[in-house]
Amino acid sequence: MSLRLALMIVPADAEDERDEFSDTFTVVDASAPALSVGELSTQRGDGVFESIGVVDGHAQELEPHLRRLAHSARLCDLPAPNLAQWRQAIVVAASECPPGEAVIKLILSRGVEHGPTPTAWVTAASAADFTAVRHDGVRVVTLDRGYDLGAGERAPWLLLGAKTLSYAVNMAALREAKRRGAEDAIFVTSDGFVLEAPTASLILRFGGRFITTAPSAGILHGTTQLSVYEHLEAQGFACEYATIAASALTTADAAWLVSSVRLAVPITAVDGTPVATDPALTANINRYLLSPR
Ligand code: PLP
């Protein structure tokens, strides 16, 4: 997945009400080094990011992604991002995206140690082809995240609701899932409740009711889950946030992992036990997620 564009940004103050920020962007050679070795993003994973799906040059769910970037920055005590500036940078990046599916990443790092400002950049790249997995689904294993259900609220310094650059644990969970013969994982709390996947939210269907984990459990509030809920509610389905026991996973009438670039992927088995799927609804949801939003 080679980068099509890399844009370094001089972050503007959130209060800066300029109409035009293009003089704060510099297009850099995406294959050349661009960061200082003193960068805290690389030394400590200290920063936040967003991955935005792009379909035919249209950045999907732009405002929810910008809101979450600001939320993650707040949780990490980073300066509030100037959202008008980021919006303009995304427009530039989207204009470089090829037809079909692509991904734009926004990165806001704490910057160089003792440096004056955060470091910020945007990249655009073609997306991998997820057509097959959206149809065929994934087998998942449940993995203990090591925290109980109250950890997110009791210990905000764990940053459980922020999309931070520290994804080494999430990547390790995916490797463990593969070692156990699955393609993905679902984190569960130490007291037996369902959280999220390492790079996706979870949605379960029980009859005409849809359930996802309440963000207060210390998970990322997914922009795709929000969008899917809007779509399902428009069709008259009941959509809820709840505390979900891990034992509910295999009794669902259907279950999906949903995220901005891979979109909705049906879960076909949990810890080796088959889970029912709903191919028609999966196709319906993915058609919606690929339409301009
Ligand atoms: N949960 C985690 C841990 C994630 O990393 C992601 C996406 O990367 C999601 C949920 C889904 O978020 P979104 O739908 O905004 O892509």
Side-chain angles (χ1 to χ4, degrees):
M1 193 168 66
S2 61
L3 294 183
R4 307 277 297 216
L5 175 91
L7 207 61
M8 298 304 295
I9 299 174
V10 179
D13 193 276
E15 307 300 316
D16 185 337
E17 289 180 354
R18 248 181 294 178
D19 292 330
E20 183 53 54
F21 287 97
S22 54
D23 63 341
T24 64
F25 312 149
T26 310
V27 176
V28 295
D29 179 350
S31 61
L35 294 177
S36 158
V37 288
E39 248 301 314
L40 291 169
S41 54
T42 54
Q43 289 191 9
R44 299 189 195 271
D46 194 355
V48 299
F49 78 107
E50 282 296 317
S51 290
I52 304 178
V54 180
V55 180
D56 292 331
H58 180 266
Q60 304 279 61
E61 294 294 346
L62 182 52
E63 295 306 320
H65 280 289
L66 287 174
R67 274 199 292 280
R68 194 172 58 191
L69 182 75
H71 177 69
S72 297
R74 197 162 45 247
L75 292 180
C76 292
D77 303 313
L78 284 162
N82 183 308
L83 298 188
Q85 181 190 35
W86 284 91
R87 218 175 267 121
Q88 287 180 25
I90 292 164
V91 168
V92 174
S95 70
E96 293 292 322
C97 287
E101 294 182 54
V103 53
I104 288 177
K105 289 197 180 198
L106 318 179
I107 297 109
L108 176 63
S109 140
R110 199 169 303 279
V112 176
E113 197 157 16
H114 310 303
T117 55
T119 308
W121 68 100
V122 170
T123 62
S126 303
D129 184 353
F130 292 114
T131 316
V133 76
R134 285 172 195 156
H135 179 267
D136 300 342
V138 285
R139 293 165 298 180
V140 304
V141 288
T142 51
L143 296 179
D144 184 353
R145 199 175 200 175
Y147 304 129
D148 64 34
L149 194 60
E153 285 184 349
R154 195 176 62 245
W157 50 89
L158 293 176
L159 303 176
L160 295 178
K163 194 164 170 76
T164 76
L165 291 169
S166 314
Y167 260 51
V169 167
N170 304 44
M171 298 300 105
L174 289 177
R175 291 194 299 276
E176 178 62 21
K178 284 177 187 139
R179 272 194 290 274
R180 297 188 189 191
E183 290 84 35
D184 216 317
I186 293 176
F187 286 126
V188 293
T189 63
S190 54
D191 42 354
F193 297 99
V194 171
L195 290 168
E196 62 188 337
T199 65
S201 316
L202 171 75
I203 298 177
L204 303 178
R205 176 169 85 74
F206 291 93
R209 257 176 73 235
F210 291 78
I211 304 182
T212 192
T213 303
S216 58
I219 59 164
L220 208 63
H221 198 171
T223 61
T224 316
Q225 173 266 307
L226 279 166
S227 199
V228 169
Y229 265 26
E230 224 173 272
H231 176 60
L232 293 170
E233 279 168 348
Q235 294 178 66
F237 291 114
C239 295
E240 299 164 17
Y241 293 90
T243 300
I244 305 169
S247 56
L249 284 170
T250 49
T251 62
D253 294 313
W256 297 267
L257 297 183
V258 301
S259 55
S260 296
V261 182
R262 198 173 53 168
L263 305 183
V265 168
I267 294 172
T268 58
V270 175
D271 296 329
T273 302
V275 174
T277 58
D278 185 341
L281 187 56
T282 303
N284 170 302
I285 291 172
N286 278 319
R287 258 196 313 280
Y288 165 73
L289 292 174
L290 284 167
S291 65
R293 288 175 291 123

